[in-house]
Amino acid sequence: MKPSLTLRLLACLALLFACTSALANPALWVVKKADATIYLFGTVHLLPNDASWHYPALDRALSDSQTLYIELVDDDAANMAALVLRHGMDPTHPLSTQLGEADAQRLRILANKAGVPGGMQTLDMMRPWLAALTLTVSPLLKAGLDPEHGVDKQLKAQASAAGKPVLGLETAEQQIRLLADMPRSVELDFLRSTMREAADDSAKLTELIDAWKSGDVDAIARIGNDDMRRREPKLYQLLLVQRNEAWATRIATMLQQPGTVFIAVGAAHLAGPDSVLVQLRQLGIEAVRE
């Protein structure tokens, strides 16, 4: 279940969508201080096999960097499966019993429409957060989008082939516990939000594709962040703001050491009024668009 485990989280934080254009020019920033240089790049985590997103400035930044940071490096199948069993499954409390009849019926319909293996019977054994992830990711996987061809995976492979260290900003367990440790009411709101957005996914997907391809950060924030900030402010604070603050503090520390670092995180982390870029500015650090 590795592909579906954290991808709903990443959908909210990292813009789960496909990029099919060979002319993609996603946004890149640089932060410099004395002998330290840090590049910041927004990623997407699911791509078709033939997607192209490299461009000269990006390739130069990657070539110049000695170290790559991505969100996770311990997302191997065995680790993720163990985390799912520990934090995501709850067969003694069927999900359908935690929802009203209208929501339960809607979830059954969406499970079938999304092509969830086993349908509602499968979702019924899951915690609400994992059901939300699965409901979101299943149709994307069915459509042929491959997490192994996501930008972060490709960057990791490229850096590893060049003998460069690849480090994680978080661990898989940290990301999963962000959802698994939510109060149950917030967790159920997360699922309901996923169900509510399901009907609009295709249109939003197209908008997000265009926004990422063109590096339109304002559009990414509007499409990817604004609805969660308005409808689920507690979730927004937990999944986006708090993590952005932590990453900005870590970047400020990295700037104390000489060298060039490339940091790739979900594009939504670099968009909007609470982005990593804004958090850095509050620390007196200005990122410049490349």
Side-chain angles (χ1 to χ4, degrees):
M1 295 193 65
K2 172 189 172 186
S4 66
L5 181 57
T6 57
L7 289 178
R8 173 58 187 151
L9 168 61
L10 298 174
C12 295
L13 308 177
L15 304 183
L16 274 174
F17 54 85
C19 173
T20 58
S21 170
L23 302 176
N25 192 47
L28 174 70
W29 291 264
V30 64
V31 176
K32 295 185 178 182
K33 182 178 180 182
D35 295 327
T37 298
I38 296 178
Y39 291 99
L40 299 171
F41 182 62
T43 67
V44 291
H45 300 273
L46 283 174
L47 290 173
N49 295 347
D50 59 351
S52 176
W53 45 270
H54 283 268
Y55 57 95
L58 174 61
D59 288 336
R60 286 194 297 271
L62 288 167
S63 177
D64 292 344
S65 299
Q66 289 106 33
T67 304
L68 170 67
Y69 278 85
I70 55 178
E71 291 185 31
L72 298 178
V73 294
D74 63 338
D75 55 346
D76 58 279
N79 187 38
M80 299 300 258
L83 290 170
V84 166
L85 290 174
R86 189 181 314 142
H87 300 296
M89 305 302 293
D90 187 13
T92 60
H93 300 89
L95 183 56
S96 57
T97 66
Q98 303 176 56
L99 298 168
E101 180 53 37
D103 281 338
Q105 179 60 23
R106 186 177 184 188
L107 185 59
R108 291 186 191 96
I109 294 170
L110 290 173
N112 293 331
K113 182 179 179 181
V116 176
M120 187 62 187
Q121 186 175 359
T122 298
L123 296 184
D124 224 17
M125 297 186 292
M126 296 180 178
R127 291 270 304 271
W129 71 265
L130 183 58
L133 292 176
T134 304
L135 190 64
T136 298
V137 172
S138 290
L140 300 180
L141 298 178
K142 187 177 179 181
L145 302 183
D146 186 352
E148 292 305 314
H149 290 88
V151 173
D152 48 344
K153 295 289 187 181
Q154 294 186 49
L155 290 173
K156 180 181 178 181
Q158 181 178 340
S160 298
K164 298 179 180 181
V166 182
L167 305 174
L169 291 170
E170 298 172 331
T171 66
E173 181 159 14
Q174 283 177 316
Q175 281 201 355
I176 292 166
R177 290 292 295 269
L178 284 171
L179 293 174
D181 291 348
M182 289 188 297
R184 186 53 60 100
S185 60
V186 177
E187 191 179 350
L188 286 167
D189 284 344
F190 181 38
L191 175 58
R192 293 187 184 100
S193 174
T194 302
M195 294 165 58
R196 183 175 59 247
E197 294 169 1
D200 301 327
D201 279 350
S202 295
K204 282 191 174 183
L205 208 59
T206 300
E207 288 185 83
L208 289 171
I209 291 170
D210 292 340
W212 186 73
K213 285 191 302 185
S214 63
D216 188 341
V217 180
D218 290 338
I220 289 172
R222 174 177 54 80
I223 302 162
N225 297 346
D226 287 357
D227 188 64
M228 181 168 60
R229 184 173 67 246
R230 184 177 65 256
R231 292 178 180 270
E232 288 92 26
K234 292 181 180 178
L235 196 64
Y236 177 79
Q237 287 290 324
L238 179 68
L239 300 185
L240 202 76
V241 178
Q242 292 181 22
R243 298 169 74 216
N244 289 350
E245 290 173 346
W247 292 350
T249 299
R250 190 165 179 180
I251 290 167
T253 301
M254 290 181 190
L255 284 171
Q256 305 305 313
Q257 301 295 325
T260 302
V261 174
F262 193 98
I263 298 177
V265 297
H269 287 288
L270 301 176
D274 300 295
S275 70
V276 172
L277 305 175
V278 172
Q279 306 295 345
L280 285 171
R281 192 174 302 125
Q282 293 176 356
L283 296 174
I285 300 167
E286 194 68 34
V288 178
R289 181 83 174 260
E290 285 284 276

